[in-house]
Each structure stands twice: as structure tokens, then as C-alpha cells.
Amino acid sequence: ILINEDRRAKMFSMPRIVRAIRQKRDLLYGTLSLVNYLRLRRAHSILRGASPKRQGPPLPLRVRALKGNTVFCRPMTSDFPVFVQTFLGLHHVPPADLGQIQTILDLGSNIGLTLAHYATLFPTARIVGVELDPGNALLCGVNIKPYGDRCSVVQGAVWVSDGSITYDGAEEWGFHVSPDQSSGRSVQSFSMSTLLGMFPEQTVDFVKMDVEGAEKELIKAGESWVRNVRCVKVEIHPPYSVVECL
């Protein structure tokens, strides 16, 4: 299953007032209580343009889609659009006809909202997430704590080989590996074979791949791992295209 990044943006290309009404309706009645929604919007708006010292701690939010469990979002970061895309867009959800799902590998877990949602939707599944940025991964660990040992996050980058790799990015939701850079932030890298080996049968029912461009190299190396996965859902980032992916 392939999702072009432009397709995800369609929701945000509709007239602004219509988009705002739909988002508020869905958030209020499907995801957040009114109090939590207003709290999130107020923090995101008031602190816009504030210095990092004034951003304040992450906000706790009880989410109806998580059966009332709490997640934390950081004011003045990309956490709010990630929240909206996760619980309104639902692009991370496996196809309905996939059948029973017992194992999930989430590549590009950000702050763990998709992991928490998977754990809610599939209460007996073993779920492993991968997030390359340490700040995101730290908050991810907090957000998935209610789901115990069956839901975990690996801090590192998924890549074609084990080792280390540099990464870059200006926003919390846009960090990406930069294998051609000789300088920058460095992180441990994990191959798909290594990540699949974290599951007892070394096979996975569902893989979500949202890795900000690294999908091109991972898919090119797919012969080494794809037979161990029942279903892969990929977000394609330009200039890589759906045609190239196929």
C-alpha cells in the first residue's frame, strides 16, 4: 500500500474555513474532549513564536481514540500537526482485509502516537517502533508506557545496513537520514533484517514505513526482507515516486 505525500496534503488544501470546521468536529467528537482540544489549541497558538525557554513542558491529553489513555504533545513543535494527521488522517491504519494482526513494525514512530493507536486497535499485538531522533524517542517512550512490554521503541534509524548514519532536519516530524553527509548528528542504524529479528518468528504482519525519503533505499533492498512481511504501507516522499517504488 503506497501513500504519496501529496495525497496526505489534500486534506490541508481544501478551503481553510471548511478544513477548520471538519478538524474541530472530528477532534471534538472522535478524538479529544472539548477541554483537551482547547488546551492543545491554546498552547499551540499562544506560544507561537515564543523562545524555546518559554515553550513549557509537554501537555497531557486524554484521547478518546486511545480509550481515554493520555499522550503528551510539546507546544510549539510539529507535535500538533502530527496529532491531527494521526487521528484524523488515519493513514497509518492497516487495511481492513489484512485479517488477524499479531505483530507490527512502525518505521518512523515520531512521538509514539501511531504506536499507541496500534496498541489500542490490536490489544494482543507485539509492536516495535523505530525513531531516529532522541528527543522524539524519549517522548515516544512516555506515550507508549501504558501498553507495557508489548509496545516498545528503538532509538535509531532504519537503513540498508547496521552501523551508524548521520541525519538532519529542522522540524521534529521531518528528521531524515543523510548518508552522504560527512558531518552532522549521528545515530545507530538498523537493517530490516535486524529489526525483524526482534520478533519471535522473525516475521511481521504489518509494517508502516514513514521514513522521510529513506524508503527508496529500503525498498530497493527489499529482496532481503520483504518475504518476511505480510503487508507494507509506505509513504512516498518526492522526488521518489510510486512508479519507482513498484
Side-chain angles (χ1 to χ4, degrees):
I1 298 175
L2 308 174
I3 299 176
N4 193 299
E5 191 176 43
D6 294 335
R7 176 183 164 192
R8 184 178 70 172
K10 282 184 178 179
M11 180 177 71
F12 298 93
S13 65
M14 66 179 66
R16 186 173 181 179
I17 188 169
V18 175
R19 183 174 71 244
I21 291 171
R22 288 186 180 180
Q23 287 183 356
K24 289 180 180 180
R25 177 200 63 193
D26 292 341
L27 282 168
L28 289 177
Y29 295 104
T31 302
L32 290 176
S33 68
L34 174 61
V35 172
N36 278 331
Y37 173 73
L38 293 176
R39 180 188 300 168
L40 182 59
R41 287 298 303 176
R42 185 172 185 271
H44 189 73
S45 299
I46 291 178
L47 295 178
R48 182 171 295 151
S51 66
K53 292 181 180 179
R54 295 181 58 194
Q55 288 181 7
L59 291 171
L61 299 165
R62 291 185 63 194
V63 184
R64 289 176 177 169
L66 302 180
K67 296 186 177 179
N69 279 335
T70 298
V71 295
F72 292 82
C73 291
R74 298 162 295 190
M76 287 313 304
T77 68
S78 59
D79 291 359
F80 179 72
V82 168
F83 184 99
V84 172
Q85 289 187 5
T86 299
F87 295 109
L88 270 67
L90 298 177
H91 300 302
H92 63 286
V93 175
D97 60 354
L98 186 56
Q100 187 176 27
I101 296 176
Q102 290 296 326
T103 48
I104 298 174
L105 179 59
D106 184 354
L107 305 177
S109 297
N110 197 257
I111 62 169
L113 303 183
T114 51
L115 288 174
H117 199 207
Y118 289 140
T120 304
L121 294 174
F122 309 102
T124 63
R126 170 80 173 100
I127 307 160
V128 175
V130 181
E131 171 54 40
L132 64 80
D133 181 69
N136 287 346
L138 182 64
L139 187 55
C140 179
V142 174
N143 284 335
I144 63 175
K145 190 174 181 180
Y147 309 101
D149 295 339
R150 69 184 185 89
C151 189
S152 61
V153 61
V154 176
Q155 199 263 302
V158 56
W159 190 236
V160 296
S161 60
D162 297 323
S164 63
I165 194 168
T166 56
Y167 75 98
D168 200 3
E171 291 186 285
E172 295 80 7
W173 66 350
F175 292 119
H176 56 274
V177 296
S178 304
D180 298 328
Q181 287 188 195
S182 58
S183 62
R185 290 169 286 188
S186 181
V187 67
Q188 185 176 357
S189 64
F190 300 89
S191 67
M192 285 295 295
S193 297
T194 296
L195 294 171
L196 292 173
M198 296 179 180
F199 295 87
E201 303 298 327
Q202 298 188 19
T203 59
V204 171
D205 293 321
F206 179 70
V207 172
K208 185 216 81 180
M209 188 181 295
D210 183 4
V211 288
E212 304 301 324
E215 67 274 3
K216 178 177 180 179
E217 299 302 324
L218 295 175
I219 292 172
K220 283 171 61 177
E223 289 185 4
S224 64
W225 58 267
V226 73
R227 291 181 178 85
N228 297 89
V229 176
R230 287 178 55 208
C231 178
V232 183
K233 197 170 193 179
V234 186
E235 180 171 317
I236 304 298
H237 298 80
Y240 194 43
S241 68
V242 172
V243 173
E244 290 178 285
C245 184
L246 296 173

